[in-house]
Amino acid sequence: MTIVLAHGLGGRSDLPVPLWLALYAGAAAVLASFVALTLLWKTPRLRGADAGRPLPFARVVDARATSIVLKGLGLVCLAGFLAMAWFGPDTSAANPAPAWFYVWFWVGLVPLSLLVGPVWRRMNPLRTVASLLGPARRELPDRLGYRPAVVSLLAFLWLELASGHSDSPRLIAGFVTLYAVVHVACGAVFGPRWFDRGDGFEVYAVLIAGLSPFGRRADGRLVVRSPLDGLLALGRSPGLTPLILVVLGSTAFDGLTRLPFWNDLTPSVPLATAGLAAAIALTAAAYAGGIRLTRPYLRKGTEPYTGFGHTLVPIMVGYTVAHYFSFALFEGQRGFDPAVADYTLVSTAVIALVQVGAIVLGHVLAVGSAHDRALGLLRAGYRTVGQYPLLALMVGYTAVGIALVSGA
């Protein structure tokens, strides 16, 4: 048996309510949250990186011993994974490495980052190895922005969703080895800043950590804060929007491949590659369209594409939870025994409720974040009507997301 990268429900009949009702309920929840916000939230309240109350155990978290333990754990995990992927059995039916990579690591970054913040940044074994090779030799050009992270994440998503051999332990081993060599080499040349901008997995984890109640204040102190403040703090890093749209588009493509019509097309690697690219392009085009309609209402000098980019993070996380929840529960068991997976662990009704709930909650948080941001960026007199284009975009994203996880 091989790992099947299917994260949707697999059929409309799995929903505990009719699809039309789920769509109406999801859209209504987003619209109702917007109405409530316009009535009760009249001025910007979020403080972003300046918000948060210091944590009493911050010294323990920041201690050198804690850092050594986290770095050591990251190195041990990478070494163990590569050993199993390269030298273990050559099928996912007998080798747990694919489950470790796709479920324990890729999916695991979501709950890990949500619960404890950007801890992967401290555990990242590639960052650790690069730091052992000496000081940086060159400055990372600012013009690169986050493009290296986008490219590296695209490479992973192609492997997972379009390569046709995503469950091959040897292919996974080759990808991770090449990924590690490239990023360690770049980290040795450009220093730690390379991983802040170039390592797709680390940048992705930091984005998710924006929704964590734990984070760093502008003065560097470890604090507890509102997740919406954490999101606004991400807004200080322009250039992240393309990476968010790549993840959103790839998740939409993953849901698309669960639909019956996709299998009727006799999927191939070229078709899957084109489909992945098209899904990302359409997702980005929808966002660009919403921003273009919002632009006339913005204050002069506002950069709209980056100004609202961080508000997409809750949607990205909601989609990720929806598409990977059942996959993580079932296929994650293969990380212990590749031949065993108990598919009765949870019912399809529970899976459906979690999926729809994650999408709706993500959009409600996105509406709240976008509303506060809009109050600061929109011209006086247009602070309600100016939000309509992005509200329509989020309602549309909600409907598409629910439809895709339903398998309709």
Side-chain angles (χ1 to χ4, degrees):
M1 183 180 295
T2 59
I3 286 183
V4 179
L5 297 177
H7 316 311
L9 291 174
R12 179 184 298 188
S13 61
D14 288 331
L15 283 171
V17 296
L19 175 61
W20 65 267
L21 182 57
L23 292 173
Y24 280 126
V30 175
L31 291 171
S33 64
F34 174 75
V35 172
L37 288 168
T38 56
L39 293 175
L40 303 174
W41 197 325
K42 300 290 188 179
T43 59
R45 299 181 182 180
L46 302 178
R47 296 190 296 130
D50 296 322
R53 292 177 295 179
L55 289 173
F57 51 84
R59 288 186 178 180
V60 176
V61 176
D62 291 335
R64 178 177 173 81
T66 303
S67 181
I68 292 174
V69 169
L70 290 174
K71 290 179 179 179
L73 181 60
L75 289 170
V76 168
C77 288
L78 177 62
F81 164 76
L82 287 176
M84 180 60 71
W86 276 119
F87 306 111
D90 196 20
T91 66
S92 60
N95 193 324
W100 292 350
F101 185 49
Y102 292 118
V103 185
W104 291 18
F105 173 63
W106 171 241
V107 181
L109 282 176
V110 176
L112 179 70
S113 301
L114 287 176
L115 292 174
V116 295
V119 68
W120 179 248
R121 189 176 186 273
R122 301 181 68 184
M123 294 178 63
N124 188 348
L126 308 186
R127 180 186 282 270
T128 301
V129 174
S131 69
L132 300 175
L133 300 179
R137 296 167 177 81
R138 295 179 59 185
E139 286 290 328
L140 182 67
D142 287 334
R143 66 178 181 275
L144 283 179
Y146 289 90
R147 292 184 184 89
V150 173
V151 171
S152 59
L153 203 57
L154 272 172
F156 163 75
L157 292 169
W158 179 85
L159 170 72
E160 183 198 17
L161 300 173
S163 69
H165 299 282
S166 58
D167 66 332
S168 167
R170 299 295 183 265
L171 181 61
I172 293 172
F175 172 82
V176 174
T177 301
L178 179 61
Y179 188 97
V181 169
V182 169
H183 285 280
V184 167
C186 291
V189 172
F190 297 112
R193 192 163 180 250
W194 169 262
F195 296 96
D196 296 333
R197 297 295 187 93
D199 184 348
F201 293 120
E202 183 172 310
V203 175
Y204 172 71
V206 169
L207 281 174
I208 297 171
L211 279 172
S212 172
F214 305 108
R216 297 282 176 182
R217 211 163 53 185
D219 59 8
R221 298 193 67 177
L222 185 65
V223 297
V224 59
R225 64 189 180 192
S226 162
L228 295 185
D229 277 312
L231 286 179
L232 184 57
L234 293 175
R236 292 190 173 187
S237 302
L240 286 171
T241 305
L243 188 139
I244 300 170
L245 291 170
V246 163
V247 177
L248 276 175
S250 67
T251 308
F253 171 71
D254 175 63
L256 189 69
T257 61
R258 305 304 122 205
L259 303 184
F261 93 92
W262 180 259
N263 292 322
D264 294 339
L265 295 176
T266 311
S268 61
V269 173
L271 178 61
T273 302
L276 177 61
I280 293 172
L282 289 173
T283 302
Y287 176 72
I291 290 297
R292 184 174 183 179
L293 294 175
T294 303
R295 188 188 291 272
Y297 306 107
L298 295 171
R299 295 178 178 178
K300 289 184 178 180
T302 299
E303 173 46 58
Y305 291 95
T306 58
F308 289 96
H310 64 281
T311 68
L312 295 176
V313 173
I315 300 175
M316 179 188 78
V317 174
Y319 276 15
T320 301
V321 172
H323 282 264
Y324 284 95
F325 176 67
S326 60
F327 173 70
L329 285 179
F330 299 139
E331 301 301 334
Q333 300 171 59
R334 300 187 190 279
F336 300 101
D337 185 345
V340 175
D342 180 6
Y343 291 100
T344 64
L345 196 60
V346 294
S347 68
T348 56
V350 170
I351 294 171
L353 289 173
V354 170
Q355 290 181 312
V356 174
I359 290 174
V360 173
L361 178 59
H363 282 81
V364 169
L365 289 174
V367 168
S369 179
H371 175 72
D372 185 86
R373 188 62 171 154
L375 293 176
L377 297 182
L378 294 175
R379 290 183 287 144
Y382 298 97
R383 290 178 176 172
T384 298
V385 68
Q387 297 183 59
Y388 289 165
L390 288 181
L391 176 65
L393 174 70
M394 291 180 182
V395 170
Y397 277 165
T398 301
V400 171
I402 292 174
L404 288 177
V405 299
S406 75

